[in-house]
Amino acid sequence: MGILRFYGLVIILVLQRIFAVNGQPLVPALFIFGDSVVDAGNNNELDTLVKANFLPYGRDFEYHEPTGRFCNGKLATDFTAETIGFTSYQPAYLSKDFTDDDLLIGANFASASSGYYKTTPELYCTVSLSKQLEHYMEYQGKLSVIAGPKNATAIISGGIYLISAGSSDFLQNYYINPTLYKVYSPEEFSNILAEEFADFVEKLYGLGARKVGVTSLPPLGCLPAAISIFGEDSNECVEHINKDAITFNDRLNSTAHKLQHHLSNLTVVVFDIYQPLYDIVTKPADNGFVEARKACCGTGLLETSFLCNSKSEGTCKNASEYVFWDGFHPTEATNTLLADDLTAAAISLIS
């Protein structure tokens, strides 16, 4: 067990004890923006092929039913919500089941295949970050009516804002789009994405956000689909793609640092997803896994969304033995470990 994960588990125990004593979440609300890593079902309502509202997605979730999460069970953000003390998850804002009472604990605005770069969601007919921001503004208006202006302001300023984006920008746009990779180097594209991140945070800040957490890119070159498509018949992580992810993460960290010093009373924390997931992929047995190259669903080499379905031959019986659920997304078991590491970093947002 790594030292960060050890401290993460200690913090979880402390936070859960605090919650048990107070009986209330440690923050009034969670607001979630981004892509498929955190989408809780917004794409269910869209005219897009990028969906996960069918089995075997969700087979290990509550009631063994799909929700639109790109996982066999819970996302890392679901575990985060539980640790902070929420007894229900922030619902997908576009869900037909979204109620007025749901407004009081925040909302999930994320959309699979979205990203910082504006053409990424356009390619897949999903919800851009700018549109997610419009939905958030709409949410604020509804919240003010339900909770009253004073309570709404407290929820907005006291809530935690989580952002996960960038993976789709690289894997589903940059690497396959000659109008991008022939024009911009990976470093230049990373700079563009970092600027878009800064713009998004500044707009959130203008709308009242003060506690922002953003995930770094994972080791993109270690995702099963990335190895299958770009690995040139190798079963090893694609080094140049991982290098690009590290380059972006460096830009993200420096940009977050500048934002925190530029905007008064803003706390920005970058959650390092890269190293924890890289450690799990490269040392699966040390982390309780059997398989790190192939995903659970289908052949485990490429499938995601409709390519991972109830008729996918070869889908594993025990997803907890696998690092990845489909070609792009972690299993619930992996998300559990990632959430432990996130908690250690998130403590500064909660205090």
Side-chain angles (χ1 to χ4, degrees):
M1 179 183 291
I3 189 67
L4 179 59
R5 182 169 301 154
F6 171 77
Y7 282 118
L9 292 174
V10 172
I11 292 170
I12 286 174
L13 293 174
V14 172
L15 294 182
Q16 289 176 338
R17 185 171 182 84
I18 293 173
F19 169 63
V21 172
N22 296 331
Q24 294 292 326
L26 297 174
V27 294
L30 287 180
F31 303 99
I32 302 167
F33 303 85
D35 54 21
S36 59
V37 176
V38 293
D39 185 356
N42 284 299
N43 277 23
N44 296 355
E45 312 302 328
L46 305 180
D47 184 16
T48 177
L49 292 176
V50 187
K51 295 186 179 185
N53 57 341
F54 46 84
L55 291 172
Y57 287 103
R59 73 177 197 188
D60 300 314
F61 197 71
E62 296 174 338
Y63 309 113
H64 307 288
E65 295 179 352
T67 62
R69 288 167 169 80
F70 284 74
C71 186
N72 61 301
K74 298 177 185 178
L75 306 176
T77 45
D78 294 326
F79 289 111
T80 299
E82 292 175 356
T83 300
I84 292 174
F86 289 100
T87 55
S88 59
Y89 307 123
Q90 284 63 34
Y93 183 70
L94 297 181
S95 172
K96 296 176 182 177
D97 298 325
F98 197 98
T99 68
D100 289 344
D101 289 341
D102 292 328
L103 295 169
L104 299 176
I105 64 169
N108 185 310
F109 303 94
S111 175
S113 290
S114 189
Y116 294 118
Y117 200 70
K118 64 180 182 179
T119 65
T120 302
E122 291 175 0
L123 289 171
Y124 301 95
C125 301
T126 58
V127 186
S128 65
L129 281 178
S130 60
K131 189 65 178 180
Q132 290 179 35
L133 200 65
E134 289 181 20
H135 289 160
Y136 172 65
M137 294 170 65
E138 182 181 83
Y139 160 90
Q140 285 193 342
K142 295 178 180 178
L143 179 66
S144 184
V145 172
I146 298 300
K150 184 176 181 180
N151 287 335
T153 298
I155 291 171
I156 290 166
S157 62
I160 289 179
Y161 296 73
L162 301 177
I163 305 168
S164 171
S167 295
S168 296
D169 291 315
F170 276 99
L171 291 178
Q172 295 175 254
N173 197 354
Y174 179 79
Y175 292 130
I176 63 174
N177 188 345
T179 65
L180 290 179
Y181 67 72
K182 286 188 176 182
V183 176
Y184 304 111
S185 68
E187 292 79 8
E188 290 170 335
F189 191 62
S190 292
N191 288 336
I192 292 172
L193 298 187
E195 290 173 2
E196 291 298 324
F197 160 72
D199 181 66
F200 185 74
V201 172
E202 288 175 349
K203 289 176 179 176
L204 274 179
Y205 179 85
L207 291 170
R210 292 298 181 269
K211 302 176 181 180
V212 177
V214 57
T215 61
S216 70
L217 286 184
L220 295 175
C222 295
L223 304 186
I227 297 175
S228 298
I229 297 172
F230 304 106
E232 298 180 351
D233 297 323
S234 170
N235 275 329
E236 302 298 323
C237 297
V238 185
E239 186 176 349
H240 78 88
I241 292 181
N242 278 351
K243 181 180 177 182
D244 293 344
I246 292 172
T247 296
F248 170 78
N249 291 341
D250 289 342
R251 300 291 190 278
L252 183 68
N253 275 285
S254 61
T255 301
H257 182 76
K258 291 177 182 177
L259 283 169
Q260 183 154 312
H261 283 77
H262 174 65
L263 300 173
S264 177
N265 296 321
L266 175 68
T267 300
V268 183
V269 174
V270 178
F271 301 139
D272 176 26
I273 297 296
Y274 186 98
Q275 194 60 49
L277 187 54
Y278 184 80
D279 290 343
I280 293 171
V281 170
T282 54
K283 300 176 182 178
D286 291 352
N287 292 277
F289 296 99
V290 175
E291 179 60 68
R293 167 63 182 98
K294 293 183 179 180
C296 175
C297 192
T299 67
L301 300 177
L302 187 62
E303 294 89 347
T304 192
S305 193
F306 283 104
L307 294 177
C308 172
N309 57 66
S310 59
K311 296 182 180 180
S312 296
E313 295 184 7
T315 297
C316 74
K317 294 182 179 180
N318 186 2
S320 65
E321 296 179 348
Y322 286 69
V323 175
F324 295 101
W325 166 247
D326 65 16
F328 292 88
H329 305 99
T331 57
E332 178 182 271
T334 303
N335 283 331
T336 302
L337 299 182
L338 295 178
D340 290 346
D341 288 308
L342 291 180
T343 302
I347 188 66
S348 60
L349 291 177
I350 299 172
S351 60

